[in-house]
């Protein structure tokens, strides 16, 4: 209902023009020609002033405009006193512009729906009591806020409450609630599904997870649709053909401007002006429904032509979430006791390996212990006191993969060995991409042995490059581009940022806060679902296909109509209605891109 009302409101000017046409006809019937001419001039100006203004702006910028034929048709219709034709042209142009504006607004509305969910105010938690309401922009790092059940969390922070339950589907696309315990990170944009929780803010509004998403959306909105430039290329040819046919019709009719007008009316290039941006923005709209943010509209066109895809391994083909593959007890303590100690300390850390230890301990149903005096130092590990004894967990040097040791003072109690699990759909997606004809590469910083195991598990002919630094990945992209490849890079981490920026299209999984990678990429996947890569490729190809269909059909139908009009088979008023029918058909086709 709201969309219908918005559409009706958008078409106020075309409605006035249509009403003016009705009055024009009535005045002509009652022989009130002066009033009829005044009405015709008014509605023609109302419907076409924007066209004249935008064309003048393009000329001042020394840009070729799409609207020369439409302007010429209006001017000739006025010179030949074909006022009804002029008003119908004004209605056609105004309706097309209005529909374009409406569809653009709807596409942008779809892109910004995540940002619209964020609250404007939060409630502070002060002195162990509910405090004042404060604008979200005034909340500082270290402030504590409360979030009630069902409310959207407005800022990033750390959970102060003992436990919580959040719905992260708005960010990840996965419809699961996530259990949180004290010390866990909480991201803005997620929903509190449990009881009231207290959060200590770690990022102010401008730096929050949601703020970054909003920033990406704004960039996508502000980006001028590049496919209009392709439409301009078609338009140059179309304009030349139109002028030739118009000249032929003018000469064939004995220099009758009415015959020339009939050709010009049919040639009005609304399909080029309207349909292409609708199709392209429709593609952005379709992508947003899949939790894919297209930051640069040009990326849709480039992605549709890509022939080579380069993947980072960790977090892209794999989950990027290490799991404990092996636990080795080196002490006299029982396994459950050591695991309970490790879990009590590691649940206070945000490190991925710490999370893996916590999950492993929970899976063994160990007792819950409480650690005190927690201290974590980047690169050194984490320490804590459990039952009066001091323990520490830190990384161990290893060529076999990632390992962590747990120590009591300096006594080595046990070792955790980790591996990264391949996403459940990675093998299927790689196979599908190979079938579609893409050349596939993996650039990873892992050791050759670890990389080899991943490729073997995928079961496909993928070219792998191991032990890559960020510079190595960038050089690999450069080499592929020198070979004439159109490249799409898929990554997820900060170390991928240089390669993402250099690739023709950079695509990034942003289920964690990889800000640098997200800013370097052109397309951002909200969540870690590997199938989003195929979805984005399909959307890009379909969108460009629909846009080109719209252009070619519009040009073809118009040229056919112009040919008939040049021999006097279609009068100007008939040409106006024919062009309107062509426009409607083209727009309906372009709107398919939003599905």
């Amino acid at each position: 209902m709201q969309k219908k009302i918005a559409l009706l409101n958008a078409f106020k000017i075309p409605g006035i023009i249509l009403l003016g046409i009705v009055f024009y006809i009535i005045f002509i019937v009652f022989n009130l020609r002066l009033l009829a001419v005044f009405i015709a001039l008014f509605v023609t100006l109302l419907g076409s002033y924007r066209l004249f203004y935008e064309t003048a702006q393009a000329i001042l910028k020394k840009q070729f405009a799409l609207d020369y034929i439409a302007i010429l048709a209006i001017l000739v219709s006025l010179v030949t006193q074909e006022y009804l034709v002029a008003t119908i042209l004004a209605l056609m142009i105004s309706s097309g512009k209005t529909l374009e504006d409406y569809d653009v607004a709807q596409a942008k509305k779809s892109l910004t729906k995540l940002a619209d969910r964020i609250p404007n105010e939060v409630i502070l938690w002060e002195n162990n009591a509910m405090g004042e309401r404060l604008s979200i922009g005034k909340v500082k790092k270290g402030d504590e806020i409360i979030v009630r059940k069902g409310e959207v969390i407005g800022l990033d922070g750390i959970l102060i409450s003992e436990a919580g339950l959040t719905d992260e589907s708005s960010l990840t696309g996965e419809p699961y609630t996530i259990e949180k315990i004290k010390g866990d990170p909480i991201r803005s944009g997620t929903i509190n599904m449990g009881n009231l929780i207290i959060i200590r803010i770690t990022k102010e509004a401008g730096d929050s997870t949601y703020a970054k998403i909003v920033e990406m959306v704004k960039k996508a909105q502000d980006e001028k649709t590049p496919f209009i430039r392709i439409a301009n290329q078609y338009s140059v040819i179309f304009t030349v053909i139109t002028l030739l046919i118009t000249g032929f019709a003018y000469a064939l009719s004995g220099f009758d401007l009415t015959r020339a007008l009939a050709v010009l009316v049919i040639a009005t290039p609304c399909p080029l002006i309207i349909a292409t941006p609708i199709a392209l923005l429709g593609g952005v709209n379709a992508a947003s429904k899949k939790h894919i943010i297209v930051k640069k509209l040009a990326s849709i066109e480039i992605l549709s032509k890509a022939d080579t895809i380069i993947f980072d391994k960790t977090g892209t083909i794999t989950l990027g979430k290490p799991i404990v593959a092996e636990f080795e007890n080196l002490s006299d303590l029982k396994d459950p006791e050591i695991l309970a100690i490790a879990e009590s300390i590691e649940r206070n850390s945000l490190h991925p390996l710490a999370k893996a230890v916590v999950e492993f301990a929970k899976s063994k149903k160990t007792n819950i212990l409480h650690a005190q005096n927690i201290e974590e130092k980047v690169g050194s590990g984490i320490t804590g006191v459990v039952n009066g004894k001091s323990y520490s967990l830190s990384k161990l040097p290893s060529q076999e993969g990632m390992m962590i040791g747990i120590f009591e003072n300096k006594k080595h109690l046990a070792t955790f060995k980790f591996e990264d699990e391949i996403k459940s759909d990675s093998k299927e997606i790689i196979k599908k991409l190979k079938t579609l004809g893409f050349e596939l590469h993996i650039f990873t910083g892992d050791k050759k042995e670890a990389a080899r195991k991943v490729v073997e598990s995928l079961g496909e002919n993928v070219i792998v490059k191991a032990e890559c630094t960020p510079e190595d990945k960038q050089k690999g992209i450069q080499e592929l581009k020198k070979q004439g490849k159109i490249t799409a890079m898929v990554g997820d981490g900060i170390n991928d940022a240089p390669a993402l920026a250099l690739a023709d299209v950079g695509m990034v999984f942003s289920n964690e806060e990889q800000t640098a990678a997200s800013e370097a990429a052109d397309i951002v996947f909200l969540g870690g679902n590997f199938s989003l890569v195929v979805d984005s490729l399909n959307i890009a190809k379909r969108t460009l296909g629909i846009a080109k269909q719209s252009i070619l059909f519009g040009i073809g139908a118009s040229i056919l109509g112009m040919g008939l009009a040049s021999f006097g088979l279609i009068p100007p008023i008939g040409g106006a209605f024919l062009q309107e029918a062509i426009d409607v058909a083209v727009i309906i086709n372009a709107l398919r891109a939003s599905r």
Side-chain angles (χ1 to χ4, degrees):
M1 178 61 71
Q2 288 181 344
K3 283 190 175 183
K4 290 180 180 179
I5 293 172
L7 187 59
L8 289 173
N9 289 335
F11 273 86
K12 283 182 180 178
I13 291 180
I16 293 172
I17 295 172
L18 183 59
L19 185 63
I21 292 173
V22 172
F23 276 107
Y24 172 84
I25 295 171
I26 292 173
F27 290 153
I28 289 294
V29 170
F30 286 95
N31 202 28
L32 300 171
R33 183 170 176 77
L34 190 60
L35 278 175
V37 170
F38 174 78
I39 289 292
L41 292 175
F42 172 75
V43 298
T44 301
L45 178 62
L46 182 64
S48 61
Y49 78 92
R50 180 175 163 187
L51 178 72
F52 281 85
Y53 175 78
E54 290 177 354
T55 302
Q57 291 292 106
I59 292 172
L60 290 174
K61 295 177 182 178
K62 298 181 181 180
Q63 297 174 348
F64 182 86
L66 292 167
D67 309 315
Y68 299 139
I69 300 301
I71 289 174
L72 188 58
I74 291 174
L75 293 176
V76 172
S77 66
L78 294 176
V79 169
T80 56
Q81 298 184 12
E82 292 279 356
Y83 295 117
L84 183 58
V85 173
T87 57
I88 292 174
L89 282 171
L91 176 63
M92 177 173 61
I93 292 165
S94 176
S95 298
K97 292 286 188 183
T98 300
L99 185 57
E100 177 187 354
D101 292 343
Y102 172 77
D103 196 75
V104 168
Q106 291 303 308
K108 289 181 177 180
K109 183 177 179 181
S110 178
L111 282 173
T112 56
K113 64 182 180 181
L114 292 177
D116 291 340
R117 295 173 61 251
I118 211 74
N120 294 319
E121 295 181 330
V122 293
I123 302 174
L124 294 179
W125 180 254
E126 299 175 304
N127 301 320
N128 295 321
M130 188 180 297
E132 64 175 322
R133 280 189 172 273
L134 193 65
S135 169
I136 199 167
K138 294 181 179 180
V139 180
K140 303 297 182 184
K141 284 184 183 180
D143 285 349
E144 294 181 0
I145 65 170
I146 65 171
V147 183
R148 292 170 293 198
K149 184 175 182 178
E151 290 183 339
V152 176
I153 297 167
L155 294 160
D156 292 6
I158 298 295
L159 184 64
I160 299 302
S161 304
E162 291 299 321
L165 199 63
T166 60
D167 176 0
E168 302 193 354
S169 60
S170 61
L171 298 184
T172 66
E174 299 173 1
Y176 305 117
T177 53
I178 309 298
E179 293 182 0
K180 300 284 185 177
I181 62 173
K182 186 174 182 178
D184 281 352
I186 303 291
R187 290 189 290 171
S188 56
T190 59
I191 302 172
N192 177 24
M193 302 300 291
N195 296 324
L196 181 147
I197 57 175
I198 303 169
I199 300 169
R200 179 177 294 127
I201 303 306
T202 57
K203 289 185 179 181
E204 295 177 8
D207 297 321
S208 69
T209 300
Y210 236 70
K212 295 299 180 183
I213 293 175
V214 172
E215 186 178 338
M216 292 178 209
V217 171
K218 287 181 178 178
K219 286 181 180 178
Q221 290 176 340
D222 295 337
E223 181 84 7
K224 180 184 177 182
T225 168
F227 204 65
I228 288 178
R229 293 196 292 268
I230 295 177
N232 276 331
Q233 294 172 8
Y234 282 99
S235 182
V236 173
I237 299 171
F238 183 62
T239 300
V240 172
I241 293 173
T242 298
L243 293 176
L244 289 174
I245 296 176
T246 302
F248 171 76
Y250 186 54
L252 185 66
S253 64
F255 305 105
D256 181 6
L257 276 176
T258 302
R259 183 78 64 85
L261 176 61
V263 175
L264 289 172
V265 168
I266 297 172
T268 302
C270 285
L272 298 179
I273 298 170
I274 300 168
T276 50
I278 288 178
L280 202 55
L281 283 164
V284 175
N285 187 24
S288 71
K289 293 174 183 176
K290 290 277 190 178
H291 295 276
I292 300 169
I293 292 180
V294 180
K295 292 168 59 180
K296 299 178 181 177
L297 296 178
S299 305
I300 296 180
E301 179 184 349
I302 300 169
L303 188 59
S304 71
K305 300 174 183 177
D307 52 28
T308 302
I309 305 178
I310 305 95
F311 297 97
D312 170 53
K313 181 184 75 69
T314 305
T316 303
I317 291 174
T318 64
L319 290 173
K321 182 180 178 181
I323 60 172
V324 177
E326 185 179 339
F327 171 71
E328 184 180 5
N329 190 340
L330 304 174
S331 73
D332 296 330
L333 298 176
K334 294 181 180 180
D335 289 359
E337 188 175 352
I338 295 178
L339 291 174
I341 293 168
E343 192 272 342
S344 68
I345 296 172
E346 290 285 41
R347 68 168 174 250
N348 296 282
S349 173
L350 302 180
H351 196 282
L353 297 183
K355 293 180 181 179
V357 170
V358 170
E359 290 298 321
F360 182 73
K362 284 183 177 179
S363 70
K364 301 300 182 181
K365 298 181 179 180
T366 58
N367 293 329
I368 296 177
L369 300 178
H370 293 279
Q372 298 175 327
N373 301 331
I374 298 295
E375 185 177 355
E376 184 174 18
K377 294 182 179 179
V378 177
S380 299
I382 187 169
T383 62
V385 176
V386 180
N387 294 331
K389 295 182 180 180
S390 180
Y391 298 91
S392 64
L393 291 97
S394 59
K395 291 181 183 179
L396 300 173
S398 172
Q399 297 299 319
E400 300 177 21
M402 189 63 68
M403 299 171 64
I404 279 183
I406 177 169
F407 302 86
E408 181 185 352
N409 295 321
K410 293 184 179 181
K411 182 181 178 182
H412 192 174
L413 301 180
T415 298
F416 296 89
K417 295 182 181 179
F418 303 87
E419 65 180 24
D420 195 4
E421 187 178 359
I422 292 176
K423 293 177 181 177
S424 59
D425 57 352
S426 288
K427 184 175 180 179
E428 179 186 347
I429 297 302
I430 290 292
K431 184 177 180 180
K432 187 177 292 185
L433 292 172
K434 198 71 179 178
T435 303
L436 293 172
F438 288 99
E439 182 178 308
L440 304 177
H441 296 256
I442 294 176
F443 291 174
T444 176
D446 278 359
K447 301 293 183 183
K448 291 181 180 180
E449 182 64 21
R452 183 187 62 79
K453 287 181 180 179
V454 171
V455 172
E456 285 179 355
S457 64
L458 294 174
E460 292 294 331
N461 184 23
V462 182
I463 302 168
V464 63
K465 189 175 183 180
E467 300 182 29
C468 290
T469 64
E471 292 78 11
D472 292 333
K473 292 183 179 183
Q474 196 173 46
K475 288 177 182 177
I477 298 286
Q478 287 173 335
E479 185 59 35
L480 290 169
K481 293 178 76 171
K482 285 179 183 178
Q483 296 172 18
K485 307 290 186 182
I486 301 177
T487 58
M489 171 72 188
V490 185
D492 84 316
I494 293 174
N495 64 321
D496 298 322
L500 288 166
L502 183 63
D504 294 303
V505 180
M507 299 187 285
V508 62
F509 288 97
S510 189
N511 55 318
E512 295 292 339
E513 298 171 43
Q514 301 291 357
T515 305
S518 296
E519 290 181 350
D522 304 300
I523 295 173
V524 178
F525 304 128
L526 297 181
N529 191 342
F530 198 32
S531 64
L532 292 175
V533 176
V534 176
D535 289 338
S536 63
L537 290 165
N538 289 337
I539 289 170
K541 289 183 181 295
R542 183 173 182 271
T543 299
L544 265 292
I546 290 172
K548 288 179 180 179
Q549 284 174 11
S550 300
I551 289 176
L552 295 176
F553 172 79
I555 289 176
S558 295
I559 290 175
L560 178 61
M562 285 190 288
L564 295 174
S566 66
F567 287 99
L569 300 176
I570 301 176
I573 189 67
F577 284 113
L578 175 60
Q579 182 59 46
E580 186 72 19
I582 293 171
D583 290 343
V584 171
V586 166
I587 289 168
I588 289 173
N589 183 63
L591 286 171
R592 292 191 298 115
S594 290
R595 297 175 188 169

